[in-house]
Amino acid sequence: MRPFSYTRAETLGDAMAALAANPTARLLAGGTNLIDLMKYDVERPAAIVDINRLPLKEIEELPDGSIRIGALVSNATVAHHPAVTERYPLLCSAILAGASPQLRNAATTGGNLLQRTRCYYFYDPSTPCNKREPGSGCGAIGGVNRIHAILGASEHCIATHPSDMCVALAALAAIVEVEGPDGRRDIPFSDFHRLPDDHPERDNTMRHGEIITAVRLEGNHFAGHHSYLKLRDRLSYAFALVSVAAALDVKNGMIVDMRIALGGVAHKPWRDSLAEAEFAGQPATEETFAALADRLLAGAEGQGDNDFKIPMARKAIVRALKQAAAGTPQVQSDKQIR
Amino acid sequence: MDIATAHAQPKTRVALTINGHRHDLEIHPWVTLLDLLRGPSLQLSGTKKGCDHGQCGACTVLIDGERINSCLKLAVTLDGTNVTTIEGLGTPDDMHPVQKAFVEHDAYQCGYCTPGQVCSAVALLREGHGRSREEIREMMSGNLCRCGAYTNIADAIQDVMDQEVKVGMREAAE
């Protein structure tokens, strides 16, 4: 790891001032991704601002029925919190499908949103990567690309977003609260992460100097019918090849409302709210789910090694929606897909 | 920054309680908890360096009772915390119940992953989320064993859990 200067921020103001003072400074929370990237020489911050002392560690139940999760609440705390478990079981399931207990204890809510892709080329500074070094090219296009994107990729980058938690947050239409030099603002989850287009070095739409303070979840009708289905190379402790967060509001066998987000397939958690709206009012049957899967994957394009992801995603979408409709969400301990 | 310049950089003061003993240390900010523990000042080499990237769990220790990968924690960020390593759980003459169970169930072969496995299992018992065989295996998936002693590791943990349940039931009945 390259040497860096270290500052411990006690307040949000401290942290913002430290960021403003040094454009190459990076915030350190759980560190599970940043420290790793520094060891690989992918991240080379001259200054680290430790934000672990900031008062962003509460899960608040707000009077309007929403829940605000502080940016420094650990992934494990969110996954086992009684109110989150009761009202947003899809989120708990997705968190428990990811990483390991040790990493979930250290990793924070804000940090999970900001983790970088696990593209092999991004992680290897001896290869070209437009995300790591803009303009250097993309090693994955025409290279080894088994884990790469099938939706929304660009000619500059075909990396995927690695988070499981974020797939559930996309489906639940979470709101990201950020604070920066220009004040506070709310970012709808679907606008938080971005597609690579001409700027794959930018993972999200935060502005320089902004800090995530919380993630807010509004009330929902999906607690009874949901499933997080994650397909990967081994049964635990591996990133998704394809994952599906499915949530349904079903009455008398008909879809009243639905949300579906895909992980492991794009530069951001993939959600298509227009497609969701089109399928409202239809019967909650396998035929409907298959038609929806075709609709969601209409623009899918393989890169060679990852062509298998397209039929895999199609089947995963149908299976997750069937699990959700039946009220039998995917179990994250035994992994048996029923 | 070259190495000489790096070493001339200011150190940060950190107070850590490690296995019940307070240590006032001055360290460079880029030193991980893993390297601090194993380094010359503390010489607690029970915690093992496997991958050094949070992928194997060999470096698992407890911070304020919670298991984490010590390779991914900068020691300077842990000022004021309680760290428990394998050295703090038991001694050869007075083993922790999890250590005893690992011996009884032959839950290791080369032993390199064992300190991390034991620390992880101690935390798992405290967390209280895993109870079934499947849950134990899932909740221990952050600890790899290249010898493949998984069956016996799960047996050892299951054994301690069953004993704790029996003790709990006995205490409840009294």
Side-chain angles (χ1 to χ4, degrees):
Chain A
M1 208 184 308
R2 287 172 195 247
F4 50 84
S5 70
Y6 172 81
T7 319
R8 199 177 283 153
E10 300 290 341
T11 65
L12 202 55
D14 283 354
M16 287 197 290
L19 274 185
N22 188 340
T24 67
R26 294 297 307 268
L27 302 180
L28 177 68
T32 55
N33 190 213
L34 180 59
I35 300 299
D36 191 35
L37 288 167
M38 287 165 70
K39 289 183 180 190
Y40 279 114
D41 210 21
V42 173
E43 293 277 4
R44 303 167 184 180
I48 285 286
V49 182
D50 178 0
I51 57 167
N52 283 291
R53 313 240 155 180
L54 302 192
L56 305 171
K57 294 183 180 171
E58 301 294 321
I59 296 180
E60 296 168 79
E61 296 180 50
L62 305 177
D64 66 354
S66 58
I67 285 186
R68 179 189 282 132
I69 302 166
L72 290 172
V73 180
S74 76
N75 291 180
T77 301
V78 176
H80 297 295
H81 189 275
V84 183
T85 308
E86 185 194 328
R87 288 148 68 178
Y88 309 97
L90 176 64
L91 175 59
C92 301
S93 187
I95 293 172
L96 293 175
S100 70
Q102 289 96 315
L103 290 166
R104 295 194 294 263
N105 279 341
T108 63
T109 301
N112 191 306
L113 269 59
L114 297 177
Q115 65 178 307
R116 313 297 309 272
T117 183
R118 265 41 172 215
C119 171
Y120 335 111
Y121 298 92
F122 174 72
Y123 258 80
D124 181 355
S126 71
T127 65
C129 170
N130 287 323
K131 184 180 281 298
R132 176 169 32 76
E133 201 181 324
S136 63
C138 173
I141 297 171
V144 179
N145 50 41
R146 189 167 180 278
I147 63 170
H148 290 77
I150 53 172
L151 289 163
S154 79
E155 59 183 308
H156 305 291
C157 181
I158 59 171
T160 57
H161 194 266
S163 171
D164 290 298
M165 186 180 93
C166 289
V167 183
L169 290 176
L172 293 166
I175 292 153
V176 186
E177 298 183 3
V178 302
E179 195 156 335
D182 302 327
R184 302 180 58 156
R185 65 183 179 120
D186 284 351
I187 307 177
F189 208 82
S190 54
D191 295 339
F192 184 82
H193 295 103
R194 55 186 298 287
L195 291 176
D197 59 50
D198 294 340
H199 289 285
E201 74 279 9
R202 282 164 32 202
D203 291 351
N204 57 62
T205 56
M206 282 174 74
R207 299 172 196 142
H208 181 73
E210 282 185 327
I211 298 175
I212 300 174
T213 53
V215 170
R216 204 167 70 239
L217 287 163
E218 291 176 349
N220 72 93
H221 305 285
F222 302 122
H225 294 281
H226 65 91
S227 187
Y228 187 73
L229 178 61
K230 176 176 179 179
L231 303 176
R232 49 194 140 170
D233 281 328
R234 60 183 184 195
L235 280 178
S236 185
Y237 203 9
F239 290 97
L241 292 165
V242 168
S243 72
V244 182
L248 289 171
D249 184 2
V250 193
K251 278 203 181 66
N252 304 320
M254 305 297 277
I255 299 167
V256 178
D257 193 6
M258 72 170 345
R259 302 276 183 71
I260 185 155
L262 309 179
V265 297
H267 197 257
K268 60 186 282 187
W270 189 265
R271 184 178 162 217
D272 183 340
S273 52
L274 289 176
E276 290 167 5
E278 276 174 33
F279 284 81
Q282 298 207 22
T285 61
E286 183 159 352
E287 291 67 37
T288 303
F289 301 151
L292 172 60
D294 288 337
R295 169 80 165 77
L296 289 171
L297 296 166
E301 249 180 281
Q303 298 285 338
D305 294 344
N306 70 348
D307 292 351
F308 72 95
K309 281 192 180 184
I310 300 173
M312 180 184 263
R314 186 179 188 279
K315 291 188 175 186
I317 291 166
V318 174
R319 182 63 65 104
L321 285 164
K322 281 172 71 179
Q323 290 175 330
T328 54
Q330 177 61 40
V331 176
Q332 301 301 353
S333 55
D334 72 359
K335 314 287 171 34
Q336 294 292 314
I337 297 172
R338 299 183 177 92
Chain B
M1 204 183 292
D2 62 29
I3 289 176
T5 319
H7 281 287
Q9 292 296 302
K11 293 186 174 183
T12 303
R13 295 173 77 116
V14 176
L16 293 175
T17 302
I18 303 172
N19 301 328
H21 302 287
R22 185 187 158 110
H23 295 265
D24 290 289
L25 303 156
E26 289 201 2
I27 48 180
H28 281 121
W30 50 86
V31 175
T32 61
L33 176 61
L34 174 59
D35 287 341
L36 176 69
L37 290 170
R38 293 180 56 85
S41 58
L42 298 173
Q43 298 186 37
L44 292 168
S45 58
T47 305
K48 297 293 183 273
K49 183 179 280 198
C51 67
D52 209 22
H53 289 283
Q55 296 178 4
C56 78
C59 69
T60 301
V61 300
L62 310 179
I63 295 180
D64 294 334
E66 291 193 350
R67 49 178 162 164
I68 56 100
N69 303 100
S70 62
C71 71
L72 294 180
K73 273 286 169 212
L74 297 181
V76 285
T77 65
L78 299 171
D79 189 37
T81 60
N82 279 289
V83 180
T84 306
T85 69
I86 191 72
E87 289 92 343
L89 287 178
T91 64
D93 298 327
D94 182 21
M95 285 190 283
H96 186 281
V98 172
Q99 290 173 310
K100 267 187 207 160
F102 268 59
V103 174
E104 281 162 18
H105 289 272
D106 203 14
Y108 43 77
Q109 288 176 43
C110 81
Y112 196 80
C113 73
T114 309
Q117 298 276 3
V118 170
C119 285
S120 201
V122 168
L124 169 66
L125 288 157
R126 183 180 155 277
E127 290 157 9
H129 301 307
R131 280 284 169 250
S132 69
R133 183 80 176 188
E134 290 76 20
E135 285 166 333
I136 291 172
R137 291 198 59 133
E138 168 60 24
M139 289 299 182
M140 287 296 293
S141 74
N143 293 83
L144 272 57
C145 169
R146 297 304 301 269
C147 302
Y150 295 113
T151 307
N152 294 1
I153 292 169
D155 285 346
I157 297 168
Q158 184 91 63
D159 197 357
V160 181
M161 267 184 197
D162 292 348
Q163 287 172 33
E164 282 191 351
V165 169
K166 276 185 206 158
V167 170
M169 284 165 65
R170 204 161 51 229
E171 281 172 356
E174 280 169 7

